[in-house]
Amino acid sequence: MTGRLIVLTGPSGVGKGTLLKALLARHPELYLSVSATTRSPREGEVEGVHYYFYTRDRFDRMIEAGALLEWAEFAGNYYGTPIDPVRSQLVQGKSIILEIELAGARQVAKIFPDAGRIFILPPDLTTLETRIRERGTDSAEAIMRRLEQAQVEIAAQHEFEYRIVNDDFETALDELDRLVTQKN
Ligand code: 5GP
């Protein structure tokens, strides 16, 4: 596998994180970019593993220093991709996966037109809403914002070269595996 930049996007609650965890268990050679965010950690989230949890000040300084490949505001918080690990993975001929929302995916598509862009879809909106609510970690307001944003993202699914419906988990995982590990 040569070094490829892969962007994975899809509405909150669609199961991107679970799919990626299973993909990385199958392919330990793949590297998942760790984003910076101003949102508070959820229970069980570990600094430097799930995210770098930064203050708004520190996040702004990273933007000013040009240390983020892309960044966006999502449901009231800021999220961004540190540029250094992306560079070093690609320079070494290794692949890197970015799990980012729509605005960030659009920025990356401009900078890296060859990036593989994959969109994960829920079977339907009701299933998505149930998944977001059942996660039980977000406030009612955050849930509402995430659901609104989900509709905006789903409407943009055709901007992505590949789309996977996360209905049956194993089927979705196999499809993701095939796309990510396919030879160029
Ligand atoms: P969550 O708060 O649920 O972890 O993430 C909210 C949204 O932010 C998800 O759609 C996730 O893909 C996106 N996200 C996570 N990291 C980044 C990033 O570095 N940049 C951008 N643009 N979006 C991100």
Side-chain angles (χ1 to χ4, degrees), residues 79-145:
Y79 297 80
T81 305
I83 200 164
D84 285 347
V86 176
R87 276 207 194 109
S88 74
Q89 283 296 112
L90 295 179
V91 162
Q92 294 174 62
K94 295 181 183 165
S95 294
I96 180 161
I97 305 177
L98 313 185
E99 191 248 281
I100 60 179
E101 53 67 71
L102 179 63
R106 285 175 171 157
Q107 293 171 50
V108 174
K110 282 197 186 137
I111 307 167
F112 291 98
D114 294 339
R117 286 172 303 118
I118 304 171
F119 193 89
I120 311 286
L121 284 156
D124 53 69
L125 268 181
T126 315
T127 311
L128 188 72
E129 183 167 349
T130 309
R131 285 186 196 163
I132 295 179
R133 289 190 194 285
E134 280 178 355
R135 187 156 64 187
T137 49
D138 300 310
S139 66
E141 197 207 336
I143 290 173
M144 208 187 69
R145 286 203 217 174

Side-chain angles (χ1 to χ4, degrees), residues 11 13 25 36 42 47 61 71 77-78 81 83 91 101 135 167:
R42 294 191 182 118
E47 165 73 21
R61 286 204 300 276
W71 63 272
N77 289 298
Y78 289 81
T81 305
I83 200 164
V91 162
E101 53 67 71
R135 187 156 64 187
D167 189 357

Side-chain angles (χ1 to χ4, degrees), residues 12 31 36 68 76 78 116 118 122 165:
S12 183
Y31 181 86
L68 297 177
Y78 289 81
I118 304 171
V165 179

Side-chain angles (χ1 to χ4, degrees), residues 102 106 117 119 121 152-163:
L102 179 63
R106 285 175 171 157
R117 286 172 303 118
F119 193 89
L121 284 156
V152 173
E153 298 211 333
I154 290 170
Q157 59 174 286
H158 294 289
E159 293 177 26
F160 291 75
E161 45 182 343
Y162 306 108
R163 288 178 294 282

